[in-house]
Amino acid sequence: MANTSSTTDVKVLGAWPSPFVIRVRIALNIKSVKYEFLEETFGSKSQLLLQSNPVHKKIPVFIHGGKPIAESLIIVQYIDEVWSSGPSILPSDPYDRAIARFWAAYVDDKFFPPLRLIKSAQGEEKAALVKQVTEGLDLLEEAFQKSSKGKAFFGGDRIGYLDIAFGSTLGWLRATENMGEVKLLDGAKTPGLVLWAESFCADGAVKGLIPETEKLVEFAKLLAARMKGGAPPKQ
Amino acid sequence: MASQEVKLLGFWVSPFSIRVEWALKLKGVDYEYIEEDIFNKSSRLLELNPVHKKVPVLVHDGKVMAESFILLEYIDETWKQDPLLLPQDPYERSKARFWARVAEEKLLEYSFTAMCTHGEKKEQALKSAVEAAEKIEEEMKRNNKKFLGGESIGYLDLAMGWIAYWLPVWEEVGSMQIVDPSQFPATTAWSKRFLDHPVIKQNLPPRDKMLVYFHERRKILGGLV
C-alpha cells in the first residue's frame, strides 16, 4: 500500500531488493498502514538516510512522526506495538514470542549470511555454504512443524513475526538457487517449508513485495560488475 | 499458586548468562542455577540448546528458551512486577533494543577482538571499539536519569552492564584502553551507579579469577581471532 504523496507521517527508506526492507513493508500491510516509500538510489546514500541512521547508515529506516527507527526486526516489533488494534504480528504468549524471536535471530545470524554468499562462491567454499543453508532449512522445517501446529504459517492461520523474518528472504533464496545452480528448498527434505513458501508469497500482505527471480539475478549481476569495476559500493 | 520451576544454565564468567541472573534477581524470581562447563559441554546443554550449544538457557515449567536478550524480554513479559525492564513507550522500547544490539555487536565484539589480537588487527579492532563507545557515550549523556531504564535498572542497563565490569578486565588483559574515564564521563558515571546497585554488586564474578580466565582465553584465541 505504498503511497507516494507526502501526506502521511509514516515513511520507509529502503530499496526493493532488500529482504530487510520487505519485512517492514509486509508489517505495514498487515496493519493496513499507508506509508511513503522512499527508494534509495543504489550505490549512494541519501542525506535523509545518513541523518536518520547515523550509526549504521543502512536501510531500512522507518520514520514515524519524524522519529527514526532502524533494524528491520526492531521496526517490525515497533509497528506491532503501535498499531495494536490491527492483526497481531508477534504471538501473544511470552514463550511463543521467545521462540519466534529465537528463530528470527537465527535467520539473521546463521541462515541469511551464508545464503547471500553462495552466488559468488565456488568449489569447497560453496559446498560448505550450501551445507550450512540446507542444515538451516532442516532446522527451520522442524521449527515450522512445531510452531504452525498444522496451520499454514509459523504464526498459525495468519502470517506473523517469524513468517515475515524468514519469508522475506525467499526472493534471494530462489535467485541463489538459480545463480548457484543448486537446489536449496527441497520438497523431499522440507515439505512443510515448500508449502509454506507458496502460501507466504501468495498472502495479501506479501503480494508484490518478493522480487521476481529474474530481477534479482539481474541486480546481483549489476552488483558484481560494480564491485569488479571500481570501488565496492558501501551498503 | 502453583510453584513455577525456573532453571538457568549459565557459566560463571559469561556476561550473557549473568545478565539473565540479574534480571531474575531484580524481579525476585526464584530459580535453580546450573553451572555449565562450556569447554566440556554436558549432554543436558546440548539437548536443551542443540542449535547454538550455548549458555544461557532458561527453562520455565519445562519450556526451553535461549539467547540472553530474548530471555530478558521473556522474563519481563512473564513476571510483570517491578522493575519493569522494557520501557512502556514503543519508541523508547525500539531505542533500548537498538542500543542493546549496538553495544553487543559493535562494542563487545571489537573489544573482545582487540583484547585477543595484536599488531594491526588489534589497532583496527581498538579503533572500531572506541567509535562504538563514543556513540554509546552520546546516548549515556542524553539520558539524565539514574539508569538507562530510569530510576530503576532496565533492559538496556542489563544489556550494557558488561561494560561496567567485564570491559575494564578486558582492557587490563589486552593492555589497552577503550573507555578512558576522562573521555567517557557519562559511561563511567553510569558504570559506577550500575555496579553500586545492591543486586548487581552481589552478583559479579570475582575479578581476580576473571583476569586469570581472560589471560588464558587471550593466549588460546591469540592467533585465531
Side-chain angles (χ1 to χ4, degrees):
Chain A
M1 286 190 183
N3 179 348
T4 52
S5 82
S6 51
T7 55
T8 63
D9 70 343
V10 183
K11 299 188 213 293
V12 176
L13 271 69
W16 65 267
S18 163
F20 309 108
V21 172
I22 289 168
R23 290 172 178 173
V24 175
R25 303 179 76 177
I26 294 172
L28 290 168
N29 286 349
I30 288 171
K31 302 284 188 179
S32 301
V33 174
K34 287 197 172 68
Y35 63 97
E36 184 179 357
F37 183 60
L38 299 167
E39 183 115 37
E40 287 287 313
T41 311
F42 176 63
S44 73
K45 291 174 200 244
S46 71
Q47 265 304 104
L48 184 59
L49 173 60
L50 297 174
Q51 267 167 33
S52 50
N53 188 4
V55 176
H56 300 301
K57 305 177 176 56
K58 283 183 174 176
I59 49 168
V61 179
F62 186 67
I63 306 179
H64 184 207
K67 294 186 289 198
I69 300 168
E71 301 289 282
S72 64
L73 294 178
I74 292 176
I75 296 169
V76 169
Q77 290 185 86
Y78 174 83
I79 289 168
D80 198 32
E81 289 163 13
V82 169
W83 286 278
S84 51
S85 54
S88 290
I89 293 174
L90 264 106
S92 48
D93 175 74
Y95 172 66
D96 294 334
R97 289 157 79 90
I99 298 302
R101 284 172 171 147
F102 176 88
W103 287 110
Y106 178 84
V107 168
D108 279 355
D109 299 339
K110 295 275 170 18
F111 176 76
F112 194 64
L115 177 67
R116 71 194 309 181
L117 293 175
I118 289 173
K119 60 186 178 299
S120 46
Q122 284 153 27
E124 258 181 58
E125 194 201 329
K126 179 177 171 182
L129 291 167
V130 168
K131 186 164 182 278
Q132 272 186 269
V133 169
T134 50
E135 280 173 2
L137 288 168
D138 286 339
L139 288 174
L140 287 160
E141 170 80 9
E142 218 186 294
F144 176 73
Q145 297 300 341
K146 284 198 192 127
S147 190
S148 63
K149 302 185 178 72
K151 304 275 169 73
F153 302 109
F154 285 91
D157 284 319
R158 285 181 295 102
I159 64 172
Y161 186 74
L162 182 51
D163 298 282
I164 295 171
F166 180 27
S168 58
T169 68
L170 285 170
W172 280 109
L173 183 75
R174 294 192 185 121
T176 301
E177 287 178 324
N178 178 300
M179 289 182 284
E181 288 174 327
V182 60
K183 194 173 177 84
L184 296 170
L185 200 57
D186 186 345
K189 298 173 74 198
T190 59
L193 290 185
V194 168
L195 287 173
W196 163 80
E198 269 176 48
S199 308
F200 178 80
C201 293
D203 188 270
V206 178
K207 253 196 168 132
L209 289 176
I210 307 289
E212 283 166 28
T213 303
E214 309 83 66
K215 279 194 84 183
L216 283 175
V217 170
E218 204 185 300
F219 176 76
K221 291 192 174 132
L222 185 71
L223 201 73
R226 271 210 184 206
M227 293 190 66
K228 282 203 185 107
K234 278 185 185 236
Q235 274 297 326
Chain B
M1 192 151 92
S3 92
Q4 300 202 307
E5 207 188 41
V6 183
K7 293 196 228 257
L8 178 71
L9 277 71
F11 182 53
W12 69 277
V13 72
S14 159
F16 315 111
S17 64
I18 289 177
R19 65 169 61 124
V20 177
E21 289 199 84
W22 289 336
L24 291 167
K25 290 203 146 80
L26 284 165
K27 295 261 193 188
V29 176
D30 280 326
Y31 64 98
E32 182 193 344
Y33 176 75
I34 299 168
E35 175 75 7
E36 285 287 338
D37 179 0
I38 61 171
F39 300 105
N40 194 14
K41 295 180 186 191
S42 70
S43 52
R44 170 186 52 214
L45 175 61
L46 298 175
E47 245 177 72
L48 293 178
N49 190 2
V51 177
H52 300 301
K53 307 174 174 55
K54 286 179 172 178
V55 294
V57 176
L58 185 74
V59 186
H60 179 212
D61 285 345
K63 295 173 288 199
V64 185
M65 292 158 278
E67 297 294 283
S68 66
F69 287 166
I70 292 174
L71 298 182
L72 293 182
E73 299 228 24
Y74 176 82
I75 288 166
D76 205 34
E77 290 165 9
T78 302
W79 291 281
K80 297 188 164 76
Q81 64 267 32
D82 283 345
L84 300 178
L85 300 178
L86 272 295
Q88 295 301 286
D89 173 70
Y91 182 64
E92 293 301 317
R93 287 159 84 89
S94 71
K95 280 195 352 193
R97 288 168 175 149
F98 177 84
W99 286 104
R101 283 175 61 94
V102 172
E104 198 87 333
E105 289 168 10
K106 307 260 183 230
L107 184 56
L108 192 149
E109 283 298 315
Y110 292 128
S111 302
F112 191 77
T113 300
M115 179 188 78
C116 296
T117 52
H118 31 254
E120 218 201 290
K121 263 206 173 125
K122 187 194 189 83
E123 286 313 306
Q124 273 177 24
L126 208 50
K127 183 168 178 284
S128 300
V130 172
E131 275 170 19
E134 282 166 355
K135 296 182 174 118
I136 288 168
E137 173 71 9
E138 273 174 48
E139 281 308 299
M140 291 279 182
K141 281 197 166 96
R142 252 190 277 267
N143 180 62
N144 49 16
K145 305 249 169 65
K146 187 172 185 196
F147 298 110
L148 297 163
E151 288 312 304
S152 55
I153 286 181
Y155 173 89
L156 190 52
D157 300 282
L158 296 177
M160 291 205 191
W162 66 271
I163 296 171
Y165 194 71
W166 274 256
L167 187 58
V169 171
W170 294 354
E171 286 173 321
E172 190 176 322
V173 170
S175 304
M176 60 191 190
Q177 187 168 55
I178 296 168
V179 174
D180 172 354
S182 64
Q183 303 291 315
F184 297 91
T187 304
T188 304
W190 166 84
S191 295
K192 284 203 178 79
R193 293 194 297 270
F194 183 78
L195 292 180
D196 229 9
H197 189 287
V199 170
I200 305 302
K201 211 191 317 214
Q202 285 161 32
N203 290 282
L204 294 168
R207 198 172 196 275
D208 52 352
K209 292 205 165 72
M210 284 175 76
L211 285 166
V212 172
Y213 175 82
F214 285 112
H215 269 296
E216 196 52 40
R217 294 308 292 150
R218 180 176 194 271
K219 256 196 278 178
I220 292 169
L221 293 170
L224 306 174
V225 178

